[in-house]
Amino acid sequence: GEGIAVAVVGPLSGEAAAKVHDLAPSKAQTGPAVRWDEGVMRKHLMMLADSNARDIYELVSKDIHNDKLRLEEDKGNCP
């Protein structure tokens, strides 16, 4: 029921809100774009009826993933 949804979403939203103060957005992001989970991303794209929305989803996902790769590369270059 609704109580279960609140019990699950409440702590998650609080955790996400806390990250805003502790981490840069590029370090706080999680999800299929960061992991490059093509199966999940394909499902998301199928749910978007509008081709412009699909294009935006793909562009934003690529940008999020490229940010992750840049951060990992920068970590590797630090002594």
Side-chain angles (χ1 to χ4, degrees):
E2 191 174 312
I4 293 172
V6 171
V8 172
V9 173
L12 292 175
S13 63
E15 182 180 323
K19 285 183 178 182
V20 169
H21 301 288
D22 297 335
L23 298 171
S26 58
K27 293 182 180 179
Q29 287 179 322
T30 61
V34 173
R35 299 186 306 272
W36 203 250
D37 187 334
E38 293 182 81
V40 170
M41 292 168 57
R42 208 171 7 261
K43 289 177 185 176
H44 289 172
L45 286 167
M46 289 189 309
M47 288 189 266
L48 296 170
D50 181 70
S51 65
N52 289 329
R54 287 191 300 272
D55 290 345
I56 291 168
Y57 180 93
E58 288 179 327
L59 287 170
V60 170
S61 295
K62 286 177 185 174
D63 192 56
I64 289 169
H65 189 69
N66 286 337
D67 279 349
K68 177 196 174 220
L69 295 176
R70 279 190 290 276
L71 283 171
E72 288 177 355
E73 186 176 293
D74 289 347
K75 284 181 191 176
N77 292 331
C78 293

